[in-house]
Every structure is written in structure tokens, then in C-alpha cells.
Amino acid sequence: MQMKLKTRIIVGFGMSILVPLLLFSATLYGLSHTKFAQQAKNSSEVVYDISVGESANSQTQVKLIAKDVLFTATVILVFTSLSIGLWIYRSIATPLVKLKKATQNIKEGNLDFVLEVEGDDEFSELCRDFEEMRKRLKESAEEKVLLDKENKELISNISHDLKTPITAVKGYVEGIMDGVADTPEKMNRYVKTIYNKTNEMDHLINELTFYSKIDTNRIPYTFSKLNVEDYFSDCAEETGLELETRGIELVYANYVESGVQVIADGEQIRRVIHNIISNAIKYMDKPKGIIQIRVKDVGDFIQVEIEDNGKGIAAKDLTSIFDRFYRTDVSRNSSKGGSGIGLSIVKKILEDHGGKVWATSRLGIGTIMYFVLRKYQEVPMK
């Protein structure tokens, strides 16, 4: 069993006092025993002629015994002191050497090592705390590397996403300036295209602004009671106007009774719907695009389903599409690009609302996005 440092010092201090006392007591006992034996011998002699030689011999013996005892005491005392000092020194020096080596590694930027610790004294606890600090520093460094990589990827994606609509807007404006749009129909088509492209850029900028708030947990929520029927009907009407300009049909169906409410931030739920539909539009590959919105009552929750007839998502990608910066292999090779943060924003908003989002899909047929919001239920007063 390993002693605490405090216990080691107390034991060492006690032994350094106790051992000399014991040796001193032993020395006194030896001297007194020798003197007593000499007196007994002198009292038993019938001849009372005490010679000087015998007295000198006795004194010499006493001095020799005293020197032997003193020498032995000194040797034992030195040995005991060295043993106690080495015992305490090793308990301090060994972990300090490990700590010095570990701090040198961290100083050089190396966090790929393990500080092995044995025992349960104060220095062992210090080493364990140091090892825990190393692990957290390593995790923090790995997170920073990953974040830097994600930010670089985001900048690359955003640059691509901005370049595409800007190039299109520039081309159509040049066409108008050069007189290519020489009929009202062409002019109307050019203006609509420019409008759609500027909307894409505006949406992208809004996503970036919102993304920065996600990282700092400063999303501005304004929760209120929303009537499900009225709210989602308004959302469908707004979405339908945008889809109409793109030649995509919207089918809306509400299966929830009137009067049902949810507690939610209306602006952020609109963002959820907009991001899901924008993703569907981006990867729509059918000549006649159709997007369906269905609102259903599923017990304590309201479930919203947004279905499209686009290219679909591979099964291996379904579990990752809501991760930040994730894009499927198809979209990576697509000219449409994508920042990869739209669906991660959807997930974050719904989690903050106490809901969740998931998806099902079949390649070549389409995708259905589901999300749920908890109903508002008044608790009766007793």
C-alpha cells in the first residue's frame, strides 16, 4: 500500500528521532551494565589489594565498549537517514521526472503520449490531473483542426454557390443591355431568372448569418402559440408562389383539426420549411417537379411531411444528411454545389423546439422529409 506524502514525511521524521533515542538508550544500558559487572567483581574479591593495572584495564574496556556503541549508533543513524531520505526522494522525484518529460512534450506540441501513473499519493493525483489535462488539450486541438477544415470547406462551397448565380445574373443583364431580350416574353423570362438568382444569393447570405449564430448559441427565438391550420396554410401559400416561378407544382394537405396549436417560433419554422424545399429544388431532376406538404396529427405531436419527386438519396447517406457540411457524393459532383449547412440548420432549430427531423428516400423516385413539433396543451387548474 502506497503512503501519502504527508504520511511518509511524518514516518521519516518519527524514525529519525526514535532511532537515535533507542541507540542512546542502548549505549547507556551497555555502560551501566559494564560498570555494575565490574563492581560486582570487585566486591567478591577476598584480597583487597587493588592494583593500578587492573583499574586501568577496566577503564580501557569501558572506553572500547563506548566507542563500539557510538560507532554502531553512527552507522545505523547514517544508514537510517539515507534510507528515509531516499524513500521520500523517490516518492517525489519519480513523478516529477515524468511530469517534466510530459511538459516538454506539450511544449514541443506533442500530445500523442500517455502519462502512466501508479499509486495514490499527492504526486500521483497531480500526474493523473495532468494526464486529464493532456487528453482535453488533445481533444481541443483535434476539434480546432476539424473546425478549420470545415471552415475552409464552407468558404469553398460558398464561393462556388455565389459564383454560380452571380455569373447567371451578369449574363442575363448583359443580354438585356445588348438587346437580346427583344420581346416582352423574353424580357419577362430574363427578369424572373434574375429575380430567382438574387433570391438564391439572399438565402445563402441568410444561411451564413444564421450559421454564425449557431456556433455561438445566439439563435434569436421568439416562441408563441401558433394555430397549425392557419400557420401552415400561409407557409404553403408563400412557398407555392416561389415554386410556381420555377415550374414546380405544390400539393398541400392539412389533416389536423382546426383549433390545434403548437408553441414555436414562426420565423424559424418557416426557415425549416424553406431550407427543406430549397434542398428539394436544388436536386430536382424531373421535367415535371412536384413537392407535397402534408400536416398530420400524431398524438401529442404535429407531424409535417415534405415529399419531392427528385433524384433521391442513397441509403448510406440518409443518416448523415443532417450533419454540418455533409453532402452526398452526387451533390459533390453536381454543378449545383451546396454549402452543406442548410439541413444542419433544420436539425438545430427543431431540436431547440423539442422536436426532431428525419428522412426516407428511394433513388430515382424521391425523398420524404419528416419533422415533428409538440402540441400545445393547457394544463387544467386544480
Side-chain angles (χ1 to χ4, degrees):
M1 186 181 76
Q2 298 242 355
M3 294 184 186
K4 296 280 188 180
L5 180 61
K6 181 179 179 181
T7 306
R8 289 174 186 244
I9 294 174
I10 292 173
V11 170
F13 182 74
M15 290 180 67
S16 64
I17 294 175
L18 185 61
V19 170
L21 286 177
L22 290 174
L23 292 175
F24 183 69
S25 301
T27 304
L28 291 179
Y29 175 77
L31 289 173
S32 61
H33 182 70
T34 303
K35 185 176 180 181
F36 176 77
Q38 185 66 32
Q39 289 175 352
K41 181 180 178 182
N42 292 339
S43 61
S44 62
E45 293 288 342
V46 292
V47 180
Y48 293 95
D49 184 15
I50 302 174
S51 64
V52 176
E54 290 177 349
S55 177
N57 188 39
S58 298
Q59 291 179 359
T60 302
Q61 289 179 355
V62 170
K63 288 181 180 179
L64 287 174
I65 292 172
K67 286 182 180 179
D68 289 343
V69 171
L70 184 60
F71 176 75
T72 303
T74 302
V75 171
I76 294 175
L77 184 59
V78 171
F79 178 77
T80 303
S81 299
L82 288 175
S83 299
I84 294 171
L86 183 61
W87 181 48
I88 296 176
Y89 172 78
R90 288 189 63 183
S91 68
I92 298 175
T94 302
L96 283 181
V97 170
K98 291 182 179 179
L99 279 175
K100 182 179 179 181
K101 186 177 180 181
T103 53
Q104 187 66 28
N105 282 329
I106 292 179
K107 179 182 176 183
E108 295 171 357
N110 176 28
L111 296 170
D112 295 322
F113 66 92
V114 178
L115 182 59
E116 297 179 353
V117 184
E118 296 178 357
D120 57 355
D121 59 12
E122 288 85 350
F123 279 98
S124 298
E125 291 175 359
L126 176 62
C127 289
R128 272 189 285 270
D129 290 341
F130 192 93
E131 172 64 11
E132 185 65 26
M133 180 189 73
R134 180 200 67 82
K135 289 180 181 178
R136 295 190 180 184
L137 283 174
K138 185 178 179 181
E139 290 173 0
S140 178
E142 290 173 349
E143 288 176 0
K144 185 177 183 301
V145 170
L146 180 61
L147 183 61
D148 289 343
K149 181 181 177 182
E150 289 178 343
N151 286 336
K152 288 178 181 178
E153 186 177 353
L154 176 64
I155 291 172
S156 175
N157 296 341
I158 294 299
S159 299
H160 179 274
D161 285 359
L162 282 175
K163 184 178 180 180
T164 303
I166 287 175
T167 302
V169 168
K170 182 180 177 183
Y172 281 104
V173 170
E174 288 176 350
I176 293 173
M177 292 173 64
D178 294 341
V180 176
D182 52 1
T183 64
E185 291 78 12
K186 277 188 178 181
M187 179 65 73
N188 186 49
R189 182 159 52 86
Y190 274 38
V191 170
K192 278 187 177 181
T193 303
I194 292 172
Y195 176 76
N196 289 334
K197 295 300 179 181
T198 54
N199 275 343
E200 286 180 14
M201 289 188 286
D202 182 61
H203 174 63
L204 184 59
I205 293 169
N206 287 336
E207 272 196 346
L208 282 174
T209 304
F210 196 81
Y211 168 74
S212 67
K213 293 176 181 177
I214 285 179
D215 266 2
T216 54
N217 287 321
R218 292 188 294 107
I219 302 176
Y221 288 115
T222 305
F223 290 96
S224 61
K225 289 187 287 187
L226 302 176
N227 182 282
V228 172
E229 184 180 19
D230 296 340
Y231 175 78
F232 285 103
S233 294
D234 291 342
C235 289
E237 185 177 349
E238 292 175 8
T239 304
L241 294 173
E242 181 181 354
L243 293 179
E244 186 179 350
T245 63
R246 299 175 181 271
I248 298 175
E249 180 184 354
L250 175 67
V251 179
Y252 172 72
N254 174 48
Y255 301 99
V256 179
E257 295 179 357
S258 60
V260 176
Q261 295 179 319
V262 293
I263 296 290
D265 183 324
E267 181 182 348
Q268 302 303 345
I269 298 302
R270 272 188 171 85
R271 186 188 298 274
V272 166
I273 295 171
H274 186 271
N275 283 11
I276 292 175
I277 291 179
S278 295
N279 200 68
I281 294 171
K282 189 177 294 182
Y283 303 116
M284 180 67 70
D285 62 346
K286 303 296 190 302
K288 178 61 176 177
I290 300 174
I291 293 178
Q292 303 179 54
I293 299 178
R294 296 183 292 270
V295 184
K296 298 180 179 180
D297 191 326
V298 288
D300 293 335
F301 294 89
I302 296 301
Q303 179 170 296
V304 181
E305 303 173 0
I306 301 178
E307 181 177 0
D308 65 68
N309 64 336
K311 62 178 61 177
I313 304 170
K316 65 182 180 65
D317 295 317
L318 273 178
T319 57
S320 305
I321 59 175
F322 297 103
D323 295 341
R324 190 182 300 182
F325 302 111
Y326 187 85
R327 295 181 297 165
T328 64
D329 292 336
V330 175
S331 69
R332 283 195 187 95
N333 299 324
S334 172
S335 61
K336 296 181 182 296
S339 62
I341 61 176
L343 292 182
S344 66
I345 289 175
V346 167
K347 181 182 178 183
K348 173 65 175 174
I349 292 174
L350 290 171
E351 285 178 348
D352 289 348
H353 278 72
K356 64 178 182 177
V357 61
W358 70 98
T360 60
S361 184
R362 288 186 293 174
L363 284 174
I365 296 177
T367 302
I368 306 177
M369 294 282 183
Y370 305 84
F371 68 86
V372 293
L373 295 170
R374 186 177 292 276
K375 286 182 188 177
Y376 170 71
Q377 296 176 337
E378 292 186 356
V379 179
M381 298 295 293
K382 292 185 177 180

